[in-house]
Amino acid sequence: MTRWTALVGNIGSAERLSYTAIGDAVNFPSRLIGVAKDKGVEIVLSGETLERADRRLDARSLGKTVVRGKSQPAPIFTLDRKSPPI
């Protein structure tokens, strides 16, 4: 789960027009799906998303990871009803 802006709409030429979404708002969450599989959890959210939720979510840290297409490690979390809120 993340929260960013994306370019969404009909993109292409008169011969081939496609409705699509472009940007980190699409790519980063797609990469987080792979992280969720690697970590054995269903839901992964970014540190930014947790901050925007004012840390009201019952979340557990999964550490930091570098997702494909990014150079800096990003803090990632999963929802966890068993741990105390962070």
Side-chain angles (χ1 to χ4, degrees):
M1 297 173 67
T2 63
R3 183 177 177 226
W4 285 320
T5 303
L7 173 64
V8 179
N10 289 314
I11 298 174
S13 65
E15 293 82 32
R16 183 175 172 104
L17 196 60
S18 178
Y19 189 81
T20 191
I22 299 173
D24 277 344
V26 178
N27 296 334
F28 192 75
S30 174
R31 306 299 190 257
L32 289 183
I33 291 170
V35 171
K37 289 179 183 176
D38 291 344
K39 299 285 186 177
V41 297
E42 288 186 46
I43 298 173
V44 173
L45 46 111
S46 68
E48 181 182 356
T49 298
L50 185 59
E51 288 297 322
R52 287 184 179 264
D54 294 327
R55 295 191 172 266
R56 291 177 292 198
L57 299 173
D58 193 8
R60 172 173 49 96
S61 175
L62 295 175
K64 291 185 176 184
T65 189
V66 177
V67 296
R68 190 169 46 125
K70 296 291 180 184
S71 59
Q72 297 297 318
I76 56 169
F77 300 84
T78 189
L79 298 180
D80 186 5
R81 293 176 190 245
K82 296 177 183 174
S83 68
I86 313 176

